[in-house]
Amino acid sequence: MVDPVYEVLARSALVSLTASLVAAAIGIPLGTWLALARIPGRGFVTAVVNTGMAVPTVVVGLFVALMLWRSGPLGELNLIYTVRGMVIAQVLLATPLITSITMAAVQLLPPELPGHLRSLGANRWQVVVRIWVEAKLPLLAAAMAGFGHAISEVGAATIVGGNIHGQTQVMTTAIVENVGRGEFGAALVYGGVLLALAFLVNGLLSSVQQRSGAWARN
Amino acid sequence: MGAELTVRDVRVARGGRQVLAVDHLDVKASEHLFVLGPNGAGKTTLLRLLSAVDRPDRGDVEVDGVPTRRLGLEERRRIGYVTQRPALLGTTVLRNLELPLRWRGLPRERRRALALAALERLQVAHLAQRPALRLSGGEQQRVNIARSLACDPDLLLLDEPAAGLDPEARAIFFTDLERALADRAVTTVQVTHRPEEALRHADRLVVLVDGAVRQVDTPEMISRMPADAAVATVMGYDNLLTARVTPDGAVLVGEWPTGLHTDDLGPGPAVVAAFANAVRIVPSGRGGLPAVVRGVSPGRGHRVVLLDARLPGERVPLVSHLGVDAPAPAPGEAVCIWFDDALSAVLR
Amino acid sequence: MRSRALLAAVAAAGVLMASGCSGGSEAASEAILATTTSTQDSGLLDELLPDFEEDTGCTMKTVAVGSGEALELGERGDADVLLVHSPDAEEEFMADGHGVSREPVMHNDFVVVGPEADPAEVGGAADAAQALTLIAESGAPFASRGDDSGTHAKELALWEEAGVEPSGDWYFETGQGMGETLTIAGQKSAYALTDRGTFLATANLEASIAFEGSDDLQNYYHAIVVDREEPAPCAEDLSTWLLEPEVQERIGDFGVEEYGEPLFVPDAESGEE
């Protein structure tokens, strides 16, 4: 039967946390590069990232499922209907979002900052690290937004995860299942937990934004 | 030992428009060079080339003989660059100073000592633990310079470091800066649009107008003999008049005598550049350039007299600084004008 | 739920009106229907009976019990008509002369699907219960709907029959519909119990029928009119009514709207079991 709420919650959190960490590891460097690079191809990649943000989660889910299906190109890996498969799908969902927010955050820094850091004697890597430190609060917000996006989506989780009880069932797919069975009470419990989580994440986000606002240049 | 700079055949274009063209410029070791010019003359563009942050489209900037585009990290670290807007980092003042030292691999205690010493030198040691971005503009700029000094550069580039400060603060600032630089062999290049500061502190002066070097010389020489009208304007000459040099060297404005004489220029059209205190007013009928007094107001240690010179077919506005002990002319009064030789320049 | 309750209320009103207008001649025309819980729980009777009552003026009292108990009620004369799915017992019931007539009404047809290779070798099983036992013993994965649907109930009944507790790493529940569950089973090389219709309707499945056709995969429903000393006309009427083409069509359509698949296959026209 349906897992206890806490087990599903723990799985949801684990999947989405892993996915958003991986997505941050990709999206933050990519977004930084897009914000700073002055080379051809940058506009195209930016357009791809922005399109990526607008792709419905079910389409991402479908794409990942087609890749991971046994008949698909990555079928050998046996990742369809597994937690790892879900992480892959959510990484694809969260990465464009994190990349885009990172880009905006880095572009909000003083435009002369990278040149300035170089002139202070920073090497390439020291420049990037310092830019991340300067933008740490917006970058944290980016990662949290990625987490929020991942944990609240249902389309990809259903298609790639399969809502298998005790294995790949997460909060959102549990809600869909319970609504389908007319178990509105159980659906509301999951919904409430998800709402509380969203509230927590958003609360953290806004407090982070307020702090970063207070720390902004005068 | 301060670094030596050589600029050779440098061209920079922005959006298809040439913004900087410098055929040749040398900066000697430990020299204090000022780059003077109006807004948009290309001063910051030049400074960014010298700092190795930007590269010229054509030509070379060499630091001790090495082109900036081939400068390694260690060689770049000999250059300090103080931007016009103090780009401090979102942390404490002390950490702002320590970070570049950490990049250079200095041990912790040494970093701290160097940072505190630099803050001390710019009179801002008391701000060490404050968040850098909450300081006032003047404090931030001092921290900004201290940060560059802490790294002990061989070449220090400063872009309008006193911008945004009121005149008194500027004076104190430059005195402090001069003191901070006094005991070290560092080549400095400073950008400013204020001639008085450049004249006071520079070993040599470069006047940049419309992206081109118009004159390079000592402050004394440039001030006394600006190369052209644009340089004269940059150097703070208050009055510019179209003139003519006669075969015997007399300088006439609108065929009126001016009291000026030149042997170097030869006959032909010329420009008279005169500081306000070079314009001497004498009663009408005593010869010179006829003018009408438009207004009189008190200045700092002098009177400011606004005049209209009556030239054939036009009225040219002039400004004169008059000693407070001299009798003040009345507005509307017709007067005559002579120019003081020592405070005027005749240019072609 | 609400619409069904509404329908029942309207139907009840219709019954009251009918009895009020037609006087006492048919006042006593009521009958007791003993049927299995599955027909009752599926909502099929709630859907059909009000219309039957309106068509005929009969009033049906429905007793939902297991097939065996339903037959017993008939034998004791406590029921007038039976709708049950227990073929062997039914035949015995008829042989003993307890029934006047026995007509096939409908059935549901289940199949066990699994990987082409059939790793649990269920193809040679004697019946579905044995097939499931083989699956459990081989440790091959099995995908269950786990959603309390009729098919899920059937599957659980088969596990019980097989004497296997379905739990462990090999057994997983999707909580989704039949089609999704079949897709997942296909991708995970798992076995699954499904009705034949959905299996046929699901495209791109990487699964094939591993076991089919045994009695315990079919639920054949027969309507039996009980032989009583005072036969209730309504019993005969219901048996006839259920076999009418329009009613048979409704049986075939039942559940499509709610579950996306028919729950029963009408049997009257085929006339065979």
Side-chain angles (χ1 to χ4, degrees):
Chain A
M1 297 312 295
V2 180
D3 299 334
V5 175
Y6 63 83
E7 192 192 322
V8 176
L9 171 64
R11 184 178 305 116
S12 270
L14 182 72
V15 168
S16 299
L17 205 62
T18 310
S20 49
L21 286 179
V22 175
I26 301 169
I28 290 178
L30 181 61
T32 308
W33 178 73
L34 288 176
L36 298 179
R38 299 272 175 276
I39 57 157
R42 174 172 164 267
F44 176 74
V45 180
T46 306
V48 168
V49 166
N50 288 333
T51 309
M53 278 204 304
V55 173
T57 60
V58 283
V59 176
V60 173
L62 176 65
F63 171 77
V64 173
L66 284 174
M67 290 289 123
L68 299 185
W69 261 330
R70 282 195 301 153
S71 55
L74 302 177
E76 299 285 303
L77 302 174
N78 279 324
L79 288 172
I80 188 76
Y81 306 125
T82 63
V83 166
R84 276 187 291 168
M86 296 172 81
V87 170
I88 291 173
Q90 294 194 352
V91 165
L92 286 185
L93 284 171
T95 301
L97 189 68
I98 294 179
T99 305
S100 184
I101 298 177
T102 299
M103 230 172 104
V106 173
Q107 279 166 347
L108 272 179
L109 293 172
E112 67 272 16
L113 183 64
H116 190 78
L117 291 171
R118 268 200 305 279
S119 77
L120 284 173
N123 63 28
R124 201 173 286 261
W125 176 239
Q126 287 161 340
V127 168
V128 169
V129 167
R130 192 60 219 180
I131 281 173
W132 287 344
V133 172
E134 289 295 299
K136 57 184 181 291
L137 296 176
L139 292 185
L140 185 63
M144 270 155 62
F147 175 75
H149 186 48
I151 202 165
S152 63
E153 77 81 30
V154 65
T158 305
I159 296 176
V160 178
N163 186 45
I164 295 172
H165 298 173
Q167 293 181 26
T168 60
Q169 188 178 43
V170 289
M171 305 291 289
T172 52
T173 63
I175 290 175
V176 171
E177 178 188 337
N178 280 296
V179 168
R181 293 163 57 179
E183 301 274 359
F184 295 109
L188 277 173
V189 169
Y190 285 110
V193 172
L194 206 53
L195 200 67
L197 204 65
F199 188 76
L200 199 74
V201 168
N202 275 308
L204 276 171
L205 257 179
S206 54
S207 81
V208 155
Q209 274 158 359
Q210 271 161 15
R211 279 187 58 201
S212 70
W215 190 237
R217 317 172 167 257
N218 35 24
Chain B
M1 196 61 190
E4 280 181 9
L5 279 173
T6 309
V7 179
R8 212 175 276 140
D9 296 323
V10 155
R11 299 286 181 278
V12 175
R14 293 280 149 74
R17 201 173 66 88
Q18 181 165 300
V19 294
L20 190 68
V22 180
D23 291 334
H24 187 85
L25 179 65
D26 278 324
V27 186
K28 294 190 264 302
S30 305
E31 187 178 25
H32 297 305
L33 184 83
F34 271 67
V35 179
L36 197 59
N39 288 330
K43 304 188 296 290
T44 298
T45 306
L46 175 63
L47 209 60
R48 287 174 68 89
L49 294 184
L50 302 184
S51 75
V53 170
D54 288 343
R55 291 170 191 169
D57 298 336
R58 244 188 59 198
D60 272 325
V61 174
E62 290 173 6
V63 179
D64 284 339
V66 182
T68 49
R69 67 193 138 77
R70 283 213 293 273
L71 231 43
L73 185 63
E74 290 311 314
E75 290 157 312
R76 275 206 291 115
R77 284 176 172 168
R78 297 174 55 217
I79 306 172
Y81 178 31
V82 177
T83 48
Q84 183 172 358
R85 257 184 28 178
L88 299 183
L89 304 171
T91 177
T92 63
V93 166
L94 193 59
R95 289 218 195 102
N96 259 282
L97 267 74
E98 286 179 330
L99 191 64
L101 298 170
R102 201 171 75 196
W103 291 337
R104 286 161 172 77
L106 269 67
R108 192 180 172 76
E109 296 74 33
R110 181 112 182 84
R111 294 203 297 260
R112 172 117 337 165
L114 284 173
L116 286 171
L119 289 172
E120 198 78 56
R121 215 173 289 136
L122 279 142
Q123 327 274 330
V124 281
H126 60 288
L127 302 174
Q129 297 303 334
R130 298 264 298 276
L133 300 181
R134 303 236 177 115
L135 302 180
S136 75
E139 289 170 334
Q140 287 202 22
Q141 197 54 282
R142 282 164 182 268
V143 171
N144 201 20
I145 293 169
R147 183 168 58 176
S148 286
L149 281 183
C151 296
D152 196 18
D154 295 327
L155 171 62
L156 183 61
L157 309 165
L158 302 115
D159 192 351
E160 304 259 8
L165 299 188
D166 56 57
E168 271 169 60
R170 292 179 76 97
I172 298 168
F173 178 87
F174 275 104
T175 308
D176 288 348
L177 179 61
E178 202 161 55
R179 194 181 305 144
L181 293 172
D183 57 339
R184 35 182 65 207
V186 52
T187 308
T188 70
V189 179
Q190 281 199 55
V191 154
T192 181
H193 64 277
R194 300 193 178 222
E196 60 275 22
E197 283 157 9
L199 290 169
R200 191 171 310 138
H201 302 286
D203 293 335
R204 256 189 336 146
L205 218 56
V206 175
V207 178
L208 207 60
V209 178
D210 291 336
V213 173
R214 294 295 180 92
Q215 198 168 3
V216 184
D217 216 323
T218 59
E220 176 71 21
M221 287 306 291
I222 290 191
S223 182
R224 281 291 296 119
M225 285 191 251
D228 55 31
V231 175
T233 305
V234 170
M235 295 313 297
Y237 280 83
D238 303 287
N239 302 296
L240 289 177
L241 293 156
T242 310
R244 184 171 71 81
V245 180
T246 63
D248 58 0
V251 180
L252 306 178
V253 171
E255 300 307 317
W256 303 100
T258 57
L260 296 171
H261 187 91
T262 175
D263 294 326
D264 319 326
L265 229 46
V271 171
V272 170
F275 289 112
N277 53 357
V279 180
R280 298 284 157 77
I281 297 175
V282 295
S284 188
R286 298 272 298 271
L289 194 60
V292 173
V293 176
R294 210 147 34 86
V296 182
S297 58
R300 291 192 295 182
H302 53 253
R303 285 200 181 91
V304 180
V305 182
L306 300 177
L307 303 149
D308 276 335
R310 304 267 173 122
L311 301 184
E314 60 173 339
R315 294 175 174 204
V316 177
L318 295 174
V319 58
S320 166
H321 287 176
L322 222 56
V324 283
D325 50 345
E333 192 183 331
V335 294
C336 286
I337 289 167
W338 293 96
F339 292 93
D340 187 328
D341 220 346
L343 294 167
S344 306
V346 182
L347 332 162
R348 183 123 281 165
Chain C
M1 293 290 265
R2 171 167 299 201
S3 67
R4 196 177 295 159
L6 192 68
L7 202 70
V10 170
V15 170
L16 283 176
M17 274 165 58
S19 55
C21 296
S22 55
S25 64
E26 285 176 276
S29 58
E30 60 172 40
I32 296 170
L33 167 66
T35 186
T36 60
T37 46
S38 58
T39 50
Q40 174 83 342
D41 289 350
S42 70
L44 179 67
L45 292 181
D46 287 337
E47 166 101 5
L48 293 179
L49 283 184
D51 292 341
F52 167 71
E53 290 175 335
E54 195 174 350
D55 284 358
T56 60
C58 289
T59 305
M60 299 304 296
K61 291 178 178 172
T62 307
V63 185
V65 291
S67 280
E69 197 180 344
L71 288 167
E72 212 165 289
L73 284 174
E75 198 175 325
R76 289 211 308 264
D78 286 335
D80 298 304
V81 60
L82 315 175
L83 185 61
V84 289
H85 59 78
S86 189
D88 294 345
E90 289 166 32
E91 273 161 29
E92 198 179 319
F93 184 87
M94 295 305 288
D96 291 348
H98 299 304
V100 179
S101 66
R102 174 169 174 259
E103 299 292 343
V105 177
M106 59 193 185
H107 72 272
N108 26 30
D109 177 23
F110 297 99
V111 294
V112 175
V113 298
E116 193 84 48
D118 192 13
E121 294 174 359
V122 302
D127 56 21
Q130 196 194 347
L132 293 193
T133 309
L134 288 170
I135 292 169
E137 283 171 354
S138 75
F142 186 95
S144 167
R145 288 176 62 168
D147 62 350
D148 295 339
S149 62
T151 305
H152 185 217
K154 173 73 181 174
E155 179 211 314
L156 291 180
L158 284 173
W159 285 118
E160 200 174 336
E161 188 78 19
V164 176
E165 173 73 25
S167 66
D169 287 345
W170 58 279
Y171 184 83
F172 59 91
E173 297 176 327
T174 67
Q176 299 194 66
M178 195 70 249
E180 291 86 343
T181 303
L182 282 176
T183 302
I184 292 170
Q187 291 300 323
K188 290 188 92 82
S189 301
Y191 289 91
L193 180 75
T194 173
D195 63 283
R196 189 183 295 273
T198 308
F199 172 73
L200 294 176
T202 307
N204 293 319
L205 269 186
E206 293 189 37
S208 53
I209 292 177
F211 182 79
E212 63 183 326
S214 68
D215 278 347
D216 58 356
L217 282 178
Q218 327 294 319
N219 280 352
Y220 287 103
Y221 291 84
H222 287 85
I224 297 174
V225 178
V226 179
D227 185 19
R228 296 191 60 205
E229 286 173 24
E230 292 176 41
C234 285
E236 187 69 47
D237 289 349
L238 178 65
S239 173
T240 315
W241 188 82
L242 284 173
L243 304 182
E244 282 175 16
E246 311 90 80
V247 180
Q248 285 280 301
E249 199 176 317
R250 283 179 64 186
I251 291 173
D253 290 341
F254 179 72
V256 172
E257 199 174 319
E258 191 168 356
Y259 305 107
E261 61 193 83
L263 294 184
F264 301 101
V265 181
D267 278 342
E269 276 178 314
S270 65
E272 55 176 23
E273 296 185 358

